[in-house]
Amino acid sequence: MNKIKLIAINDSNRASLEIYHKLRENAFTKDNSFIADSPKVVNILLKTDIEVKSILATQEYYDEFEELISLKKIPELFVIKKDEMEKIIGHKIHHNCMMHGIRPDDTSLENMGENIIMLDEITSTENVGSIARSAAALGVTSYMLPKQAPHPYSRRALRVSMGHISKLHVHIYDDIFFTLSSLKADGYKIFGAEVTKNSTPLMEVKIPKKWVLLMGHEGKGLSEEIIEMCDEVVEIEMMDDVRSFNVGIAASILMYQFKNSTNRI
């Protein structure tokens, strides 16, 4: 194995590190650059086909993961002391590496898998990340989000997903009504997650081969107009005095049942 070549950095304001200063939570450049941090997230991404432009890390990180890093052709490997890295981030950190990568292209609707988790008006970056992590763990490999939502490759969503967003087919849509109509025309059954008078209890839902599980806004849920677009509305059975779950928890429960139910058609 060839020893990796490191570029020593003594000044965090060096021009070549501008991208690490520039990119915050939901910021991306025209070439779809993103920043990931922490060894767990970075190492998962290194095992994918994602294009990596550079790594910024301490000597300890390179010493521990040299073999993994050497398997991928990375143009620039910056080595820096932790206190200089903290100047870039602006606060104390518990990790010792960051990565500059390029987001993969969106997957087209035609190439999404048979089972899709879809978000409507989601606002929380943490929820976007946690749902991605649960989807990857449960084998729901396709993830659809609205254009106005936090992007799943934003730093915090990446961190919450532990980098497992890289295992999913991601599609960012503009118009939910057009998108739902297109999915239905392609044979998907649309299940809206909402508590209504006519909701089907989760344990009674009959699962088809191709399905979309649609989750609504954290507070408002799904609108009446969106519910009308759904083929069926499903609710998780709960105690009478507790009528809602966090959307990330609800998505996990629903995905687990949809993937593992024996009640299929």
Side-chain angles (χ1 to χ4, degrees):
M1 180 181 66
N2 295 325
K3 189 173 180 65
I4 56 178
K5 296 180 180 179
L6 304 180
I7 303 169
I9 297 294
N10 298 314
D11 180 5
S12 61
N13 291 314
R14 182 169 169 166
S16 55
L17 302 184
E18 181 184 3
I19 196 75
Y20 290 97
H21 287 277
K22 184 189 300 182
L23 294 186
R24 296 304 177 188
E25 287 302 334
N26 295 315
F28 300 101
T29 60
K30 289 182 179 179
D31 70 347
N32 288 327
S33 287
F34 70 89
I35 297 296
D37 47 31
S38 89
K40 288 183 179 179
V41 175
V42 170
N43 291 353
I44 285 175
L45 296 176
L46 287 176
K47 296 174 185 177
T48 72
D49 293 331
I50 286 174
E51 180 183 357
V52 180
K53 305 294 284 187
S54 69
I55 291 177
L56 176 67
T58 63
Q59 185 65 55
E60 289 79 11
Y61 173 78
Y62 289 114
D63 290 343
E64 185 173 358
F65 300 108
E66 180 178 355
E67 183 175 1
L68 174 62
I69 297 163
S70 67
L71 295 176
K72 205 170 183 77
K73 294 181 179 179
I74 303 173
E76 296 179 307
L77 299 171
F78 301 111
V79 60
I80 190 171
K81 291 183 177 179
K82 192 171 181 179
D83 58 348
E84 288 294 324
M85 189 182 295
E86 289 176 341
K87 290 179 183 178
I88 293 175
I89 298 177
H91 57 77
K92 290 284 186 181
I93 56 175
H94 300 290
H95 62 78
N96 63 352
C97 74
M98 302 170 73
M99 187 193 89
H100 168 204
I102 303 296
R103 283 184 291 169
D105 294 336
D106 280 5
T107 303
S108 66
L109 278 181
E110 295 76 18
N111 292 313
M112 299 295 275
E114 293 181 337
N115 306 149
I116 300 172
I117 181 73
M118 182 176 182
L119 308 186
D120 184 17
E121 297 181 2
I122 202 84
T123 60
S124 165
T125 305
E126 286 82 359
N127 284 333
V128 167
S130 69
I131 292 172
R133 184 176 179 179
S134 294
L138 296 170
V140 179
T141 58
S142 295
Y143 196 21
M144 297 181 64
L145 305 95
K147 191 173 183 179
Q148 68 271 22
H151 198 281
Y153 277 86
S154 62
R155 282 171 67 178
R156 186 167 298 180
L158 264 172
R159 194 180 309 128
V160 174
S161 79
M162 297 301 294
H164 293 302
I165 183 61
S166 60
K167 295 179 170 62
L168 307 180
H169 301 297
V170 176
H171 179 87
I172 308 296
Y173 65 86
D174 287 307
D175 185 321
I176 190 169
F177 296 101
F178 173 82
T179 304
L180 289 174
S181 295
S182 298
L183 289 165
K184 292 172 80 168
D186 197 25
Y188 290 92
K189 184 172 182 178
I190 311 298
F191 292 90
E194 190 59 83
V195 178
T196 71
K197 291 189 302 180
N198 300 314
S199 298
T200 304
L202 177 57
M203 295 303 292
E204 298 177 13
V205 174
K206 295 181 179 179
I207 312 297
K209 183 177 181 181
K210 295 178 73 173
W211 52 260
V212 176
L213 182 57
L214 177 60
M215 310 300 300
H217 182 272
E218 290 95 338
K220 298 179 293 184
L222 295 173
S223 68
E224 288 296 329
E225 294 80 6
I226 299 298
I227 289 175
E228 289 178 5
M229 289 285 295
C230 295
D231 296 301
E232 189 170 351
V233 180
V234 59
E235 66 173 87
I236 301 169
E237 300 89 328
M238 290 175 275
M239 303 299 291
D240 290 339
D241 57 343
V242 182
R243 299 307 299 159
S244 67
F245 284 103
N246 166 274
V247 66
I249 294 173
S252 298
I253 294 171
L254 288 161
M255 285 189 288
Y256 179 86
Q257 180 65 13
F258 270 54
K259 290 296 290 185
N260 293 283
S261 174
T262 57
N263 192 14
R264 299 190 174 274
I265 55 175

